[in-house]
Amino acid sequence: MPTTPATATHSSSNGTAEAIMLELVDENGTTIGTAEKLAAHQAPGQLHRAFSVFLFDERGRLLLQRRALGKYHSPGVWSNTCCGHPYPGEAPFAAAARRTYEELGIAPSLLAEAGTVRYNHPDPVSGLVEQEFNHLFVGMAQEQLDPDAEEVGETAFVTAAELAERHAEAPFSAWFMTVLDAARPAIRELTGPSAGW
């Protein structure tokens, strides 16, 4: 993975875990400070910058991931291709590309901005809260996946109809429908009307 000025400050040379810091923002998405990741998610939550990625194959199917069971937040649920948080000072686009590679082992192609959405989603299982100003991205997955088992439990490419069926039967992340609905205009532009998104 390429090292950027933002990621370099979050890499430990001696292999010990460092506290992960998030960028706190106001309602307009302007940076106002930082907070440790877990603290930012404890109720009532602190509004912070995040991103969500939606990648599609050449048939217009969405790549979903089921979050690994070992994750501290929303383990074992299905969600969009990739989501996470930029490091303080890291551009959301760079963070989206970085985390997609770290989690799924692919570099997304045609990755494009798809707007932002602000939401407040408590997780009833963990008690953690997603207070996020989320930057949305859409693109293509054109490489063989190589998921990191510590991050991703399972992956699936689904059509819009298959997603509706799966969403009715399996647990999804609290934020999934909010970010999907906000990204739909860009998704339709990328996949075309026949894909049904």
Side-chain angles (χ1 to χ4, degrees):
M1 179 193 75
T3 301
T4 67
T7 59
T9 62
H10 300 276
S11 303
S12 177
S13 59
N14 62 7
T16 59
E18 246 181 75
I20 297 173
M21 303 301 289
L22 306 186
E23 208 169 74
L24 300 181
V25 299
D26 65 15
E27 294 291 338
N28 298 313
T30 303
T31 303
I32 58 172
T34 59
E36 191 276 326
K37 183 178 180 180
L38 185 57
H41 288 88
Q42 289 173 335
Q46 299 176 73
L47 184 59
H48 57 275
R49 195 177 308 285
F51 64 83
S52 289
V53 177
F54 296 86
L55 297 184
F56 296 82
D57 66 9
E58 67 284 347
R59 294 166 52 190
R61 298 180 304 170
L62 172 61
L63 173 58
L64 298 175
Q65 70 155 275
R66 187 171 61 81
R67 295 165 61 85
L69 292 174
K71 303 220 19 134
Y72 80 96
H73 189 347
S74 302
V77 301
W78 287 93
S79 199
N80 48 293
T81 307
C82 179
C83 54
H85 310 93
Y87 294 129
E90 183 182 23
F93 184 92
R98 172 180 59 80
R99 282 303 290 164
T100 301
Y101 182 79
E102 289 171 357
E103 291 188 11
L104 295 161
I106 60 171
S109 56
L110 302 176
L111 192 64
E113 294 182 11
T116 60
V117 62
R118 191 262 195 253
Y119 53 78
N120 175 1
H121 286 301
D123 176 25
V125 177
S126 68
L128 299 174
V129 178
E130 289 289 6
Q131 283 265 21
E132 294 189 329
F133 188 93
N134 197 303
H135 297 255
L136 308 171
F137 298 93
V138 299
M140 302 293 291
Q142 298 179 307
E143 301 175 31
Q144 183 73 31
L145 300 177
D146 184 19
D148 178 349
E150 291 187 11
E151 298 285 347
V152 180
E154 191 178 346
T155 61
F157 281 97
V158 296
T159 65
E162 289 167 343
L163 173 62
E165 290 175 14
R166 187 180 291 252
H167 193 261
E169 298 169 357
F172 272 72
S173 64
W175 62 88
F176 175 74
M177 286 308 299
T178 300
V179 293
L180 175 63
D181 286 344
R184 279 188 197 273
I187 290 171
R188 291 186 187 115
E189 188 174 332
L190 177 72
T191 61
S194 63
W197 294 102

